[in-house]
């Protein structure tokens, strides 16, 4: 029976949590207080992820700056050097192998002067072999041992950064979730599981993939800034065999 002028309201009824699930010590914290705490926790988590992305990008940039270290240019290399066989695979004939190594030292095997292109072909070939992870050429490219060290160090650094950041995120997520003052243990567990999943997924996979991807529009946006040449220096436009060898290996090892 309804009385004239009286508003009717729909009642929303939800089941009460189990008494053993309730965290009575947190019941004094209202919805707005817990919202502010959750926002602060999210800001801390995203800051840690941003630090991880910066470190991964720096390690990636170090690897892709190897041509500068070797004093080579990809345009010059492929224009003036015979670095591939008929199938396009990286390879040198015995004659070119001897010529390029001698020219890198200052003179051709027969004592004649080398052209500018021939003088740089040794560095070009070795940079390409090292960047492709072709360890069979490590003896031939022993003069560029520093590049070998940098190549290995950049991959190790990427994996270590991922592992360290993941460990810190796992530890800090537990502490930060407690600070959110959830009213029930089940909601606290769900919040922690979601934080751990998103943190490790973004840090382990997304950051590494973005750091190695070819994104020229983002790289050009940083031209002239302090971040120029440090971020978005990747070279991979697709999932090529070399992508699996370099990026895929880092993803697998860091898990």
């Amino acid at each position: 029976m309804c009385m004239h002028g009286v508003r009717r309201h729909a009642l929303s009824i939800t089941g009460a949590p189990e008494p053993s699930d309730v965290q009575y010590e947190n019941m004094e914290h209202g919805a707005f207080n817990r919202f502010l705490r959750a926002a602060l926790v999210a800001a801390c988590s995203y800051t840690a992820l941003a630090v991880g992305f910066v470190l991964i990008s720096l390690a990636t940039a170090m690897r892709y700056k190897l041509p500068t270290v070797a004093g080579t240019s990809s345009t010059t290399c492929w224009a003036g050097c015979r670095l591939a066989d008929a199938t396009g695979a990286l390879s040198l004939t015995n004659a070119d192998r001897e010529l390029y190594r001698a020219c890198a030292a200052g003179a051709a095997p027969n004592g004649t002067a080398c052209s500018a292109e021939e003088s740089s072909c040794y560095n070009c070939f070795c940079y390409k072999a090292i960047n492709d992870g072709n360890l069979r050429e490590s003896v031939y490219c022993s003069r560029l041992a520093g590049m070998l060290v940098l190549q290995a160090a950049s991959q190790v650094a990427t994996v270590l950064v991922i592992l360290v950041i993941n460990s810190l995120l796992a530890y800090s997520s537990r502490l930060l979730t407690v600070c959110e003052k959830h009213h029930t243990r089940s909601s606290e567990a769900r919040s922690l599981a979601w934080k751990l999943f998103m943190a490790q997924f973004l840090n382990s996979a997304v950051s590494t993939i973005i750091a190695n991807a070819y994104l020229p529009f983002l790289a050009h946006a940083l031209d002239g800034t302090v971040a120029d040449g440090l971020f978005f220096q990747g070279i991979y436009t697709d999932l090529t065999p070399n992508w699996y060898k370099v990026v895929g290996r880092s993803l697998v090892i860091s898990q």
Side-chain angles (χ1 to χ4, degrees), residues 236 238-252:
Y236 297 104
D238 204 348
L239 303 182
T240 62
N242 280 338
W243 185 94
Y244 287 101
K245 186 181 298 183
V246 177
V247 183
R249 180 188 298 170
S250 298
L251 293 176
V252 172

Side-chain angles (χ1 to χ4, degrees), residues 227-239:
D228 187 10
L230 299 179
F231 300 99
F232 310 116
Q233 299 298 304
I235 60 173
Y236 297 104
T237 59
D238 204 348
L239 303 182

Side-chain angles (χ1 to χ4, degrees), residues 63-83:
R63 180 168 68 250
Y64 296 135
K65 290 297 183 180
L66 286 179
T68 303
V69 175
T72 64
S73 167
S74 58
T75 303
T76 304
C77 287
W78 292 108
C81 306
R82 299 177 293 274
L83 305 181

Side-chain angles (χ1 to χ4, degrees), residues 50 53-62 64-65 206-223 225 227-236:
F53 176 73
V54 168
L55 295 177
I56 292 172
S57 296
L58 291 177
T60 303
M62 180 176 70
Y64 296 135
K65 290 297 183 180
V206 176
S207 293
T208 304
I209 292 173
I210 292 177
N212 288 275
Y214 179 64
L215 302 171
F217 56 96
L218 293 177
H220 292 324
L222 300 177
D223 288 347
T225 66
D228 187 10
L230 299 179
F231 300 99
F232 310 116
Q233 299 298 304
I235 60 173
Y236 297 104

Side-chain angles (χ1 to χ4, degrees), residues 17-81:
E18 292 289 335
S20 60
D21 191 33
V22 177
Q23 301 194 105
Y24 295 99
E25 65 275 13
N26 294 340
M27 297 303 292
E28 63 183 17
H29 299 280
F32 183 69
N33 180 275
R34 288 185 287 117
F35 171 78
L36 292 179
R37 288 173 177 271
L40 180 60
V41 167
C44 294
S45 299
Y46 288 131
T47 300
L49 288 172
V51 171
F53 176 73
V54 168
L55 295 177
I56 292 172
S57 296
L58 291 177
T60 303
M62 180 176 70
R63 180 168 68 250
Y64 296 135
K65 290 297 183 180
L66 286 179
T68 303
V69 175
T72 64
S73 167
S74 58
T75 303
T76 304
C77 287
W78 292 108
C81 306

